[in-house]
Amino acid sequence: MTTALLLSGGMDSVSIAWWKRPEHAITIDYGQRAAQAEKRASAAVCAALGIKHHVVTVDCRALGSGDMAGTVPDATAPASDWWPYRNQMLITFAVMKGIALGVRTLYIGTVRSDEGHRDGTKEFVRLMNDLVQYQEGELKVEAPAIGFSTPELVRHGEVPDNILAWAHSCHKADLPCNNCRGCNKYIESMAALSEAA
Ligand SMILES: [Zn+2]
């Protein structure tokens, strides 16, 4: 069965790349501010693990909001890193690419702590899987780490430090700003991991 991973280059998807070793990884440059760093991190991890890496570029900045788009968040935004329909958009681009590669399962990097956004819930993953299967048949969408926090995923997957070191988590910039939700999550996860070690 051919598998692919939607790879942003953040801690969660990097850990899944190591743990699940998909045949393909797909990184989307949708105009997010950290796109260059995310593509660099993703390419490095794929090279280290022998995963075929594909970059899909679709400029969606005109439809973004907040930290990731480099704009003032929409009045309706529930969080500074909210981008309307973001995961729905990314999964759609990834399966559009994946179907041409013969992919049967697309892994996405959702973890338990993402459930604060509706597109980070188990119900969302189920609905996306149902929709993708309903539309084109055989392609499944799975979130193998959805029951884990990020530190639990790193430990469960036994992800080595030299792989994790490639991860890029900042939502705002190519160099970590240390002051956004992505950076804060990275800092908290690394602290939890070093406490447990
Ligand atoms: Zn940041």
Side-chain angles (χ1 to χ4, degrees), residues 3 16-24 48-51 107 160 163:
T3 56
I16 293 170
W18 169 266
W19 175 33
K20 290 291 184 183
R21 296 303 164 94
E23 188 174 340
H24 301 278
L49 301 181
I51 297 169
Y107 297 127
I163 294 296

Side-chain angles (χ1 to χ4, degrees), residues 34 67 168-184 187:
D67 290 352
H168 180 82
S169 301
C170 184
H171 292 158
K172 289 185 171 177
D174 285 344
L175 289 173
C177 73
N178 293 319
N179 185 30
C180 73
R181 283 165 62 94
C183 285
N184 291 342
I187 293 162

Side-chain angles (χ1 to χ4, degrees), residues 24-134:
H24 301 278
I26 301 166
T27 301
I28 316 288
D29 178 345
Y30 53 100
Q32 72 276 37
R33 283 172 82 186
Q36 294 305 323
E38 291 185 8
K39 288 188 285 188
R40 204 160 48 232
S42 298
V45 168
C46 288
L49 301 181
I51 297 169
K52 294 175 195 132
H53 188 221
H54 311 269
V55 174
V56 173
T57 304
V58 185
D59 187 349
C60 298
R61 270 176 301 180
L63 302 168
S65 160
D67 290 352
M68 294 183 183
T71 62
V72 176
D74 286 354
T76 55
S80 62
D81 58 347
W82 178 84
W83 179 307
Y85 300 101
R86 176 170 169 270
N87 280 352
Q88 195 166 332
M89 166 186 85
L90 296 177
I91 291 166
T92 300
F93 292 150
V95 293
M96 288 166 78
K97 179 68 184 176
I99 203 161
L101 297 168
V103 169
R104 286 290 172 268
T105 301
L106 176 75
Y107 297 127
I108 60 172
T110 309
V111 294
R112 197 172 62 224
S113 51
D114 295 332
E115 68 188 359
H117 290 314
R118 188 159 278 192
D119 67 1
T121 62
K122 281 183 182 167
E123 180 65 359
F124 172 81
V125 177
R126 187 188 69 74
L127 288 164
M128 282 307 294
N129 177 61
D130 286 354
L131 180 61
V132 168
Q133 293 220 329
Y134 173 73

Side-chain angles (χ1 to χ4, degrees), residues 152-193:
E152 286 165 357
L153 166 62
V154 170
R155 282 195 293 269
H156 180 86
E158 298 179 349
V159 186
D161 289 349
N162 64 325
I163 294 296
L164 214 49
W166 287 111
H168 180 82
S169 301
C170 184
H171 292 158
K172 289 185 171 177
D174 285 344
L175 289 173
C177 73
N178 293 319
N179 185 30
C180 73
R181 283 165 62 94
C183 285
N184 291 342
K185 178 179 163 178
Y186 177 81
I187 293 162
E188 284 164 18
S189 297
M190 291 309 279
L193 283 166

